[in-house]
Amino acid sequence: MSEKEDLAKQKAEAAAKAKAAALAKKQAKEEEAAEKPEGEIDIAKQKAAAAAKAKAAALAKKQAKEEEAAEKPEGEMDIAKQKAAAAAKAKAAALARKQAKEEAGEKPEGEMDIAKQKAAAAAKAKAAALARKQAKEEAGEKPEGEIDAAKQKAAAKAKAAAAAKAKAAAAAKNRTAVQESEEADTPSEISPNQSKLDQIVSAIESHVGQGALLENYINRLSKDVPTLVANPDTYFSVAKFLRYDEQLDFSYLSELHGTDFESHMEIYVHLHSFKMNQSVALKVKLDRDTPVIPSLVPLWSGANWPECEAYDLLGINFYEHPDLKRILLGEDWKGYPLRKDYEPYDVEV
């Protein structure tokens, strides 16, 4: 007997078996219906019809699978099984999603509103917490321990800066004292300009006053230039005498600049007399915190720009200057760059 005949025989036996089962089921239903009221009979009929339909579908599916298995090679059977497994998995996932949606949709409207309100409140609280965190970061707020450590570091830094400043001031004072002592020392050989210095000093003391000059000396480090250190109160009077005295006649101002010695400010003026064929240096020491001195522009117009430069870079104020202004930096510049304690307002500059 061939394989096709065996398959046909199996199908016939299955059909006979299904027919017998259907007949037995029908008889059972009729007996059950004879004992039940009409309403229950209808419900029972519906259930029986649904069960019979499901059973028939399952039997048909089974027969289709058997027929397909009988006709397909082994490789195709494996592929079919994989497809069936994938379809079953996808169906189960879809069913799970559907059930989850149905469970979510089973909540009453009031509960849904409450859940929405809770979610909105939670989102609002989260946003507020994030905003506070960002504000703290922008403001540079630190935990209490870090703040204390930062304060201690700042205090230590300030203390170190103050100590360094005091040390620098003391060193500058010592340097100034040594330099002035060296300049004031009379060498064994008399300078060729000593007689001219004596002449100038004598004339100043006679016409301006004995206290007009704090000191005078020959500056060996600057070509033996006679150097006059004026009292701040008599600075302008001494300069005026040097400018207009007929015997001296220092008509040319060749240089004017300021210097920060940390302990004080100093103005240095270099003058020249063509009549005497002699140069002289006029100095004046100023208080560093309030460096104010009369302008020499009324005596020498060439003092105009040098005084503006000293004002611009050192903050020395020359009163009665015709147009005192910053000539290198802008009027809104912070601080004076040639001061020893200058710190840039903008660190990137």
Side-chain angles (χ1 to χ4, degrees):
M1 185 178 293
S2 65
E3 291 182 1
K4 289 184 178 180
E5 290 177 351
D6 290 338
L7 184 60
K9 187 175 181 181
Q10 290 173 3
K11 287 182 179 180
E13 290 176 356
K17 189 174 181 181
K19 190 173 181 180
L23 182 60
K25 189 174 181 180
K26 183 178 179 182
Q27 289 176 353
K29 285 181 180 178
E30 289 175 354
E31 291 174 359
E32 185 179 357
E35 297 174 358
K36 290 182 179 180
E38 188 174 353
E40 293 183 6
I41 291 173
D42 292 336
I43 295 170
K45 283 182 179 180
Q46 292 174 1
K47 289 182 178 180
K53 189 175 180 180
K55 190 171 181 181
L59 182 61
K61 190 173 181 181
K62 183 178 179 183
Q63 290 176 352
K65 284 182 179 180
E66 290 175 352
E67 292 175 359
E68 187 176 0
E71 296 175 359
K72 288 183 179 179
E74 188 175 353
E76 292 184 7
M77 284 292 291
D78 293 338
I79 294 171
K81 285 181 181 180
Q82 292 173 1
K83 287 183 179 180
K89 188 175 181 181
K91 190 172 181 181
L95 181 61
R97 287 196 297 272
K98 185 177 179 182
Q99 289 176 349
K101 287 182 180 179
E102 289 175 353
E103 290 175 0
E106 288 175 0
K107 290 183 178 180
E109 188 175 353
E111 291 184 10
M112 287 294 288
D113 292 339
I114 292 170
K116 286 181 180 179
Q117 291 173 2
K118 286 182 178 179
K124 190 174 181 180
K126 190 174 181 180
L130 182 61
R132 285 195 299 272
K133 183 179 179 183
Q134 290 176 346
K136 286 181 179 179
E137 290 175 354
E138 292 173 0
E141 292 183 2
K142 296 179 179 179
E144 188 174 353
E146 292 184 10
I147 291 173
D148 293 339
K151 285 182 178 178
Q152 291 174 0
K153 286 182 180 179
K157 189 176 180 181
K159 189 175 180 181
K165 187 175 180 181
K167 187 176 180 181
K173 191 173 182 180
N174 291 335
R175 286 196 305 269
T176 304
V178 170
Q179 180 181 356
E180 292 178 353
S181 176
E182 289 176 352
E183 291 177 353
D185 285 343
T186 303
S188 57
E189 183 180 349
I190 298 176
S191 169
N193 291 330
Q194 185 64 48
S195 60
K196 291 183 179 179
L197 174 61
D198 295 338
Q199 178 188 349
I200 295 169
V201 171
S202 177
I204 291 173
E205 290 178 346
S206 299
H207 292 82
V208 181
Q210 290 292 328
L213 296 177
L214 296 178
E215 58 180 312
N216 62 85
Y217 54 89
I218 296 293
N219 189 347
R220 292 284 186 176
L221 301 177
S222 182
K223 299 180 181 179
D224 282 11
V225 174
T227 302
L228 310 172
V229 181
N231 188 316
D233 296 333
T234 59
Y235 166 72
F236 185 80
S237 299
V238 171
K240 186 176 181 180
F241 178 76
L242 294 172
R243 171 70 179 86
Y244 292 114
D245 181 76
E246 292 181 358
Q247 298 299 321
L248 302 180
D249 192 24
F250 286 93
S251 59
Y252 179 59
L253 183 148
S254 62
E255 183 180 353
L256 185 152
H257 65 259
T259 306
D260 178 12
F261 285 95
E262 295 182 302
S263 59
H264 66 278
M265 293 283 188
E266 187 174 285
I267 295 293
Y268 176 97
V269 183
H270 195 277
L271 305 172
H272 185 78
S273 171
F274 293 99
K275 180 178 285 190
M276 294 180 65
N277 191 25
Q278 179 62 46
S279 295
V280 68
L282 176 62
K283 291 184 178 183
V284 61
K285 296 180 181 179
L286 306 176
D287 179 64
R288 193 173 185 277
D289 295 330
T290 55
V292 180
I293 200 71
S295 171
L296 297 183
V297 175
L299 304 178
W300 294 278
S301 59
N304 190 335
W305 285 98
E307 287 183 350
C308 286
E309 183 181 36
Y311 165 73
D312 191 7
L313 301 179
L314 288 164
I316 299 174
N317 189 9
F318 298 87
Y319 65 85
E320 295 185 2
H321 188 285
D323 186 24
L324 190 63
K325 61 184 178 182
R326 304 192 91 150
I327 59 174
L328 300 175
L329 306 174
E331 289 295 337
D332 57 345
W333 188 275
K334 306 294 183 183
Y336 305 99
L338 287 188
R339 288 200 175 202
K340 299 295 176 63
D341 58 352
Y342 173 70
E343 292 184 5
Y345 178 74
D346 186 349
V347 294
E348 296 181 359
V349 175

